Amino acid sequence: MNQIPALAMTLTGGLWFGAGISENLDTEIRFALLMLAGLSNMALTLVVVRIRDVLQSYLDQIEAFHPPSFAGGTPKTPRAPWLGSYSMITIFCALMLLAAGFSFFGAFWKYWPLALSRWWGVAGFAALLLGLYLIIFSRVRRNAGGPSA
């Protein structure tokens, strides 16, 4: 779990550096690098949420084993009581999605490689993301009932 932030920063920073600094790269390659950075950030967001869910299942089992000695991470007098158990992951995911947005914005605004208007590309990409979201959401709703017998 602690390797994901370093991996995300290295991947994003490296791809941004490659797209922005390299003078001999074609526009198409720069566009692809920024798109890869954005898609990687979105994928890492899903990965980190999944890892957090797996860790939560371990914490649940540890708590069930010996409840009096379980340290749940909530102090008696919290300084930020509005931050719950998934707050760090939520903040990290928000930052990763912001970085993905910057990658996509830079790719379409600065390095759009086609003669066709970049707005057609933005619309197509948005439609693709919406389609993927609907496919994933439909699978999540279908599996929400638990494993079938």
Side-chain angles (χ1 to χ4, degrees), residues 51-103:
I51 290 172
R52 177 60 176 91
D53 282 344
V54 170
L55 289 177
Q56 184 62 46
S57 67
Y58 278 104
L59 289 174
D60 292 342
Q61 291 297 317
I62 292 170
E63 182 180 20
F65 178 72
H66 197 261
S69 65
F70 179 71
T74 305
K76 291 179 183 177
T77 57
R79 293 183 186 197
W82 63 88
L83 296 175
S85 63
Y86 276 74
S87 60
M88 289 175 46
I89 294 300
T90 303
I91 293 167
F92 180 75
C93 288
L95 292 173
M96 290 296 296
L97 292 175
L98 182 66
F102 281 129
S103 295

